[in-house]
Amino acid sequence: MNAEHLVTMANQIGSFFETQGTYEEGVVSVADHLKKFWEPRMLKVIGEYVRSGGEGLHPAVAEAVKRAVPA
Amino acid sequence: MPSLKPLDYGTPERRADAMVTLEVDGETVSVPAGTTVMRASVEAGSKVPKLCATDSLEPFGSCRLCLVEIEGRKGYPASCTTLVEPGMKVRTQTEKLQQIRRGVMELYISDHPLDCLTCATNGDCELQDMAGVVGLREVRYGYEGENHLKSVKDTSNPYFTFDPAKCIVCSRCVRACEEVQGTFALTIDGRGFASVVSAGQNGPFMESECVSCGACVQACPTATLMEKSVIDRGVPEHSHITTCAYCGVGCSFRAEMKGNEVIRMVPDKNGFANHGHSCVKGRFAWGYATHKDRITKPMIRKKITEPWQEVSWADAIAYTAAEFRRIQDKYGRASIGGITSSRCTNEETYLVQKLVRAAFGNNNVDTCARVCHSPTGYGLKTTLGESAGTQDFDSVRATDVIMVIGANPTDGHPVFASAMKRRIREGAKLIIVDPRKIDMVDGPHIHADFHLPLKPGTNVAMVNSLAHVIATEGLIDEEFVAARCEGKPFENWRKFVMEERNSPEAMESVTGVPAALVRGAARLYAQGGNAAIYYGLGVTEHSQGSTMVMGIANLAMATGNIGREGVGVNPLRGQNNVQGSCDMGSFPHELPGYRHISNNEVRSLFEADWGVTLAPEPGLRIPNMFEAAIDGSFRALYVQGEDIAQSDPNTQHVTAALTSLECLVVQDLFLNETAKFAHVFLPGASFLEKDGTFTNAERRISRVRKVMPPLAGLSDWEATCELSKALGYPMDYKDPSEIMDEIARLTPTFHGVSFAKIDELGSIQWPCNEDAPNGTPVMHIEEFVRGKGKFVVTEFVPTEERVNTRYPLILTTGRILSQYNVGAQTRRTMNNVWHDEDRLEIHPHDAEDRGIREGDWVGVTSRAGETVLRARIAERMQPGVVYTTFHFPGSGANVITTENSDWATNCPEYKVTAVQVTLVSHPSEWQEQFQKFTEQQIRLVDERKPATTT
């Protein structure tokens, strides 16, 4: 899985949900979306990416990834 | 077995609350007010002779054969144009009427070839029948007078001939072209005896506006307009009712046969989706089913550089199972997956997803809806609660305002386009939101009241502007919203769309559409009566495809245009069974009936029925499969009836992924582009060779019936069962009806569906269950499936695919009338006479800037790749936007498209690719490689080794 591509995808998801409510609601929605639609190996790669710094991920998305993919 | 000649009532059915009782030939009959005497007579059991009348066309009253006597009335009125009245007493058979009718027939026959025995319609000719019915025994006028017998036959159309020598000028063809198809390609030229049917400007059919829908051929009562297949092979002797395998309209057809050979496909007038109409694909382009390119024996090979080895089904299945298990043992359970087909039946699609979940043991299953309507599923589920369109097609008959967004119905869904055009001719208003000036913007007797030619990629900005006008000008249906929708999300949405930044004026620079046009369209949609939105892939295939679908649902809810006949949100599905493949649980995150795989209760239901434990996590989507193949964690794929190497974006990325696989299994009719990378080829069965069901764009489940045995010996569902059995998970079904029974058992919206029920009703629109035993034409009537409708804020986020000085133009892709999707079927028919190559349409200004003339070879370069096409200068394009189709693999349209995709579903952004177009003199590097690879793969098939066992 190409982490860079996953970052783009995750940020796109974040761009939608950040307009749907508060910051916290956005984080919850992004995490929920990732768990609902991303296959485990995708979650694994993005989870590792976040834990290694998460460069390029929107803050709310990075937070959502941490919640969707516990270490 | 259905009749080859369904009863013709002469004039169309009328619907009215008031019934009228009359007497015909002594029989009492009651019919709806407005019914003709002719139709009432048929209802009463009396057939009135007729030639210019048929029940698909409005009464015309020209042939004078259907005269009757009515007690108390003078003369002999034409029964086709006389309406019933209470107490009327009609006589259809009297000596005087016989005398008049014989006189009429004498005149017709005096100018008609007497070649019945050698005529192609011998035994299937209404003129011949009527001569018999009226007892014609002589023609007193002789045959020597002035006549049309030496008129020249027009054979220009590949599928039918026009022989004016046999024409009786009844105008049925002309009226069919007008009333049924809405093309107005035919007319009656001249007057009196000189009257002749004329195509276009009295030229050959192929030079006219004729779209070859076949309506005229079907309407013709003589051999004047005649299918070439009947001329060549004679009249058929039996028929089966089945469902077309082309677009999402799902037309019902009578497959007219001789033995196991299809002679012609005739649209079924009892079909609820098409009401007896057809298009050039369904009507005529079925020859691919027996094309010489069909591969009918299983084949295997270790490497794609090796020749194929023909093997028995048993050996092919055993080899596949062994490879899949080997790969799973080595790389893990999640290293394999499958792709279901929207061209296959519901039952077959259901089985493939079951195979993946139960026998493969993972959820790596996806379908081609990924690349077309997956945003529809997400968007409508979120807002309305169900991943499907809200109406039946007939709903358009009650529509006052039709809004078409990102769809080209005359090309993509031609039969429904005819229904729309008929409604527009009756007075409905039309709004078109599309970058291109599609045919419906300005066609024969059709003119869009508003055409909003937005820039590609700005759909969401446009829908927000439309909503802004509705919200700020007090056009919201407050009562509907308060009663039917969630309050807080609605208030959030209202506040959002009312912001000035969403106004048509503020967005004009983004969408490129004058604000006044947007305001006018919004007012019309909100205030014009019943308003219905029909949309296509121009909505979904964007980075904000799902957002736009939700924006459309917002508009419908805000104006109360949902939950009754004549309104609604209507996705026009591309392929015949896109709706069905989605319904059947083809997406990796959900089980049949759109229920998430993580739902323990639902999963337990399937686990108990299937006798296995199911993985609770979502599987890989198609683009994720490609990524995983390239990174080495995904090693085998079973593809049934799809051609991902041609249809999916960024071809070079796709083929890199396919090349990475250790075992690619393709089941198809032909060695398609994907099969060229395969290690196992399982021969597929065409729609003519299997039983099952398709579900069309209006949720209508229709039967597909086997009219000939599978050329390869097995239907697709049988092959899937064999593979599953070889993998240690036997799936035993005697026939597809048992598969549907299982689907119904496990899926609440299908609880009432069975083959027997479909046969009884003709077709069924789901939900069909205890609450709706006969199905559901219109959804969300009392409440939304999710309870209250949910408004969603739809912030416009520009795509990252942007023009710049290097790539200054936007490419959009689409399809045309005569070809279908990747063209695997239509390219193997005579439809190529209309479209034998994909061309790049470019506006004259853009062409002139680049020195490009009609027919020049041009290089089209994007960030993903380059291909070369010939140019077509097209006024219908807007400056800055170019367009091409993707029907021919060598065109490489998807070499250019990128992997950008919808944020929610990964549906590719086919509709927005930044490109440069330049004059070139030779094919692209990709095309040269493609050509070499294709030649190699064809050679490897031609050199295949025959099977040593059977």
Side-chain angles (χ1 to χ4, degrees), chain B residues 710-727:
Chain B
L711 297 189
L714 293 183
S715 291
D716 297 344
W717 68 271
E718 293 173 303
T720 304
C721 286
E722 290 297 317
L723 178 56
S724 190
K725 186 177 173 185
L727 286 164

Side-chain angles (χ1 to χ4, degrees), chain B residues 89-208:
Chain B
K89 290 188 176 177
V90 179
R91 285 192 294 173
T92 68
Q93 304 293 343
T94 68
E95 185 58 36
K96 183 63 181 172
L97 290 171
Q98 285 280 46
Q99 185 185 354
I100 296 170
R101 289 169 185 160
R102 271 197 297 273
V104 170
M105 283 303 297
E106 273 189 272
L107 288 167
Y108 277 124
I109 300 301
S110 69
D111 186 14
H112 193 83
L114 298 177
D115 62 351
C116 287
L117 287 179
T118 55
C119 179
T121 57
N122 186 19
D124 184 28
C125 171
E126 292 183 41
L127 187 68
Q128 188 182 46
D129 293 345
M130 290 305 108
V133 164
V134 306
L136 184 70
R137 297 293 175 265
E138 62 175 343
V139 175
R140 292 167 293 168
Y141 310 111
Y143 305 97
E144 308 305 318
E146 191 178 354
N147 59 55
H148 299 84
L149 302 182
K150 293 195 182 336
S151 302
V152 178
K153 193 172 181 178
D154 175 3
T155 60
S156 62
N157 186 287
Y159 296 118
F160 61 84
T161 62
F162 171 62
D163 186 355
K166 295 186 173 178
C167 181
I168 58 171
V169 202
C170 64
S171 293
R172 275 165 61 163
C173 56
V174 176
R175 290 182 284 140
C177 192
E178 294 175 4
E179 295 175 25
V180 180
Q181 167 57 25
T183 292
F184 295 79
L186 304 180
T187 189
I188 299 293
D189 194 38
R191 305 184 69 175
F193 189 76
S195 302
V196 290
V197 171
S198 165
Q201 301 300 310
N202 208 7
F205 265 71
M206 282 301 282
E207 291 178 15
S208 74

Side-chain angles (χ1 to χ4, degrees), chain A residues 4-24:
Chain A
E4 189 183 347
H5 192 201
L6 295 181
V7 167
T8 302
M9 287 167 57
N11 281 340
Q12 275 186 298
I13 295 165
S15 294
F16 175 79
F17 284 111
E18 72 180 11
T19 65
Q20 302 302 308
T22 64
Y23 177 87
E24 176 58 21

Side-chain angles (χ1 to χ4, degrees), chain B residues 385-682:
Chain B
E386 193 56 275
S387 301
T390 62
Q391 311 295 120
D392 60 352
F393 286 141
D394 283 353
S395 167
V396 78
R397 296 174 179 179
T399 299
D400 301 307
V401 179
I402 296 171
M403 186 187 290
V404 178
I405 308 177
N408 188 9
T410 55
D411 284 34
H413 306 85
V415 169
F416 181 61
S418 291
M420 293 170 103
K421 290 191 291 186
R422 188 181 309 123
R423 182 62 188 153
I424 294 163
R425 291 197 302 275
E426 290 169 354
K429 303 294 184 187
L430 177 62
I431 301 166
I432 289 179
V433 185
D434 200 289
R436 294 189 304 152
K437 187 180 172 187
I438 61 172
D439 286 352
M440 283 185 71
V441 170
D442 193 10
H445 300 271
I446 300 291
H447 185 74
D449 297 272
F450 291 95
H451 175 212
L452 312 182
L454 75 177
K455 293 177 187 171
T458 65
N459 283 340
V460 174
M462 175 58 72
V463 84
N464 287 343
S465 287
L466 291 165
H468 176 90
V469 176
I470 289 165
T472 56
E473 296 190 7
L475 304 181
I476 286 176
D477 186 339
E478 302 282 356
E479 192 179 334
F480 179 90
V481 172
R484 299 286 307 272
C485 304
E486 287 184 21
K488 186 165 178 275
F490 167 69
E491 289 305 333
N492 290 342
W493 172 82
R494 188 205 309 250
K495 184 180 171 196
F496 162 73
V497 297
M498 288 181 76
E499 291 175 24
E500 181 56 28
R501 66 194 177 93
N502 287 318
S503 71
E505 291 74 17
M507 280 295 173
E508 190 170 310
S509 62
V510 174
T511 64
V513 180
L517 278 182
V518 180
R519 286 192 176 275
R523 290 166 189 153
L524 178 58
Y525 175 76
Q527 297 178 298
N530 285 341
I533 295 174
Y534 295 89
Y535 71 88
L537 304 185
V539 160
T540 55
E541 291 176 343
H542 287 274
S543 61
Q544 283 199 288
S546 293
T547 311
M548 181 60 181
V549 172
M550 291 186 279
I552 287 171
N554 289 339
L555 274 191
M557 289 189 291
T559 54
N561 277 309
I562 201 155
R564 64 179 187 279
E565 194 181 12
V567 298
V569 175
N570 306 280
L572 295 173
R573 306 280 185 162
Q575 299 196 52
N576 51 317
N577 202 33
V578 173
Q579 181 69 56
S581 70
C582 298
D583 300 341
M584 293 299 105
S586 292
F587 288 138
H589 66 281
E590 58 194 10
L591 288 157
Y594 303 101
R595 291 164 294 168
H596 202 274
I597 191 73
S598 65
N599 183 316
N600 291 335
E601 189 181 338
V602 173
R603 209 171 57 256
S604 298
L605 179 72
F606 282 85
E607 287 175 337
D609 199 272
W610 293 354
V612 292
T613 300
L614 300 176
E617 307 92 358
L620 293 167
R621 296 167 171 173
I622 291 173
N624 310 145
M625 290 180 190
F626 296 152
E627 289 276 320
I630 288 170
D631 80 16
S633 64
F634 189 75
R635 296 284 182 160
L637 179 62
Y638 170 39
V639 183
Q640 183 180 74
E642 281 305 320
D643 196 0
I644 49 181
Q646 188 180 340
S647 64
D648 285 35
N650 195 349
T651 303
Q652 292 173 97
H653 179 70
V654 175
T655 54
L658 297 180
T659 308
S660 303
L661 297 173
E662 291 186 18
C663 185
L664 173 60
V665 180
V666 171
Q667 186 171 14
D668 210 282
L669 305 181
F670 306 105
L671 189 84
N672 63 21
E673 298 311 305
T674 308
K676 290 170 185 168
F677 295 88
H679 306 90
V680 178
F681 183 89
L682 303 178

Side-chain angles (χ1 to χ4, degrees), chain B residues 188-461:
Chain B
I188 299 293
D189 194 38
R191 305 184 69 175
F193 189 76
S195 302
V196 290
V197 171
S198 165
Q201 301 300 310
N202 208 7
F205 265 71
M206 282 301 282
E207 291 178 15
S208 74
E209 301 85 352
C210 170
V211 293
S212 202
C213 68
C216 57
V217 181
Q218 194 177 354
C220 181
T222 72
T224 306
L225 285 154
M226 194 69 226
E227 295 95 343
K228 287 183 176 176
S229 60
V230 177
I231 295 173
D232 291 343
R233 284 170 265 178
V235 294
E237 37 85 359
H238 72 276
S239 70
H240 300 273
I241 300 292
T242 191
T243 304
C244 180
Y246 280 118
C247 78
V249 177
C251 294
S252 179
F253 273 88
R254 220 170 49 244
E256 297 195 346
M257 314 287 299
K258 268 188 171 181
N260 290 334
E261 183 184 21
V262 177
I263 300 299
R264 64 181 168 192
M265 297 290 284
V266 180
D268 173 23
K269 70 177 181 182
N270 296 317
F272 293 105
N274 57 319
H275 299 289
H277 191 34
S278 60
C279 78
V280 62
K281 295 189 286 288
R283 179 74 155 93
F284 296 117
W286 39 267
Y288 69 87
T290 50
H291 193 274
K292 63 179 176 56
D293 288 353
R294 281 284 298 270
I295 296 177
T296 57
K297 291 182 179 167
M299 305 186 297
I300 60 174
R301 59 182 175 180
K302 289 279 185 193
K303 297 177 183 173
I304 67 169
T305 50
E306 293 179 354
W308 287 97
Q309 167 73 57
E310 281 183 358
V311 293
S312 66
W313 271 105
D315 288 347
I317 294 294
Y319 179 83
T320 303
E323 277 294 277
F324 280 9
R325 285 298 184 233
R326 176 187 69 77
I327 288 166
Q328 284 190 304
D329 288 345
K330 185 173 179 183
Y331 300 103
R333 195 171 61 177
S335 61
I336 71 174
I339 295 178
T340 76
S341 173
S342 291
R343 292 174 209 171
C344 288
T345 64
N346 285 317
E347 294 71 22
E348 289 162 342
T349 304
Y350 175 85
L351 283 199
V352 172
Q353 64 87 31
K354 181 177 177 181
L355 171 84
V356 171
R357 299 188 202 280
F360 291 5
N362 61 49
N363 292 308
N364 292 333
V365 60
D366 207 355
T367 187
C368 58
R370 175 66 53 212
V371 298
C372 65
H373 265 291
S374 51
T376 288
Y378 183 91
L380 297 186
K381 180 94 173 175
T382 302
T383 50
L384 311 181
E386 193 56 275
S387 301
T390 62
Q391 311 295 120
D392 60 352
F393 286 141
D394 283 353
S395 167
V396 78
R397 296 174 179 179
T399 299
D400 301 307
V401 179
I402 296 171
M403 186 187 290
V404 178
I405 308 177
N408 188 9
T410 55
D411 284 34
H413 306 85
V415 169
F416 181 61
S418 291
M420 293 170 103
K421 290 191 291 186
R422 188 181 309 123
R423 182 62 188 153
I424 294 163
R425 291 197 302 275
E426 290 169 354
K429 303 294 184 187
L430 177 62
I431 301 166
I432 289 179
V433 185
D434 200 289
R436 294 189 304 152
K437 187 180 172 187
I438 61 172
D439 286 352
M440 283 185 71
V441 170
D442 193 10
H445 300 271
I446 300 291
H447 185 74
D449 297 272
F450 291 95
H451 175 212
L452 312 182
L454 75 177
K455 293 177 187 171
T458 65
N459 283 340
V460 174

Side-chain angles (χ1 to χ4, degrees), chain B residues 623-816:
Chain B
N624 310 145
M625 290 180 190
F626 296 152
E627 289 276 320
I630 288 170
D631 80 16
S633 64
F634 189 75
R635 296 284 182 160
L637 179 62
Y638 170 39
V639 183
Q640 183 180 74
E642 281 305 320
D643 196 0
I644 49 181
Q646 188 180 340
S647 64
D648 285 35
N650 195 349
T651 303
Q652 292 173 97
H653 179 70
V654 175
T655 54
L658 297 180
T659 308
S660 303
L661 297 173
E662 291 186 18
C663 185
L664 173 60
V665 180
V666 171
Q667 186 171 14
D668 210 282
L669 305 181
F670 306 105
L671 189 84
N672 63 21
E673 298 311 305
T674 308
K676 290 170 185 168
F677 295 88
H679 306 90
V680 178
F681 183 89
L682 303 178
S686 77
F687 77 111
L688 298 169
E689 299 159 42
K690 56 194 176 188
D691 281 306
T693 57
F694 290 153
T695 305
N696 74 355
E698 46 168 2
R699 296 170 278 104
R700 184 179 301 283
I701 310 162
S702 300
R703 283 295 313 279
V704 180
R705 294 185 175 89
K706 181 162 38 176
V707 306
M708 61 172 72
L711 297 189
L714 293 183
S715 291
D716 297 344
W717 68 271
E718 293 173 303
T720 304
C721 286
E722 290 297 317
L723 178 56
S724 190
K725 186 177 173 185
L727 286 164
Y729 183 76
M731 297 196 283
D732 293 319
Y733 303 97
K734 290 190 188 72
D735 63 69
S737 73
E738 293 187 354
I739 306 172
M740 178 53 84
D741 291 343
E742 180 176 314
I743 295 164
R745 187 168 69 238
L746 295 171
T747 312
T749 47
F750 277 66
H751 274 344
V753 179
S754 67
F755 278 23
K757 187 75 173 284
I758 299 171
D759 290 344
E760 176 194 338
L761 299 178
S763 58
I764 300 173
Q765 288 176 270
W766 67 261
C768 173
N769 48 29
E770 300 77 12
D771 296 333
N774 289 335
T776 310
V778 177
M779 294 186 78
H780 315 296
I781 291 177
E782 299 294 332
E783 64 173 2
F784 288 102
V785 171
R786 70 184 303 280
K788 298 273 188 183
K790 183 180 181 184
F791 281 82
V792 174
V793 170
T794 54
E795 185 75 57
F796 171 60
V797 179
T799 172
E800 292 179 11
E801 181 68 10
R802 297 182 189 164
V803 295
N804 57 21
T805 52
R806 190 171 174 195
Y807 304 109
L809 303 172
I810 290 288
L811 169 79
T812 72
T813 63
R815 69 190 204 202
I816 51 119

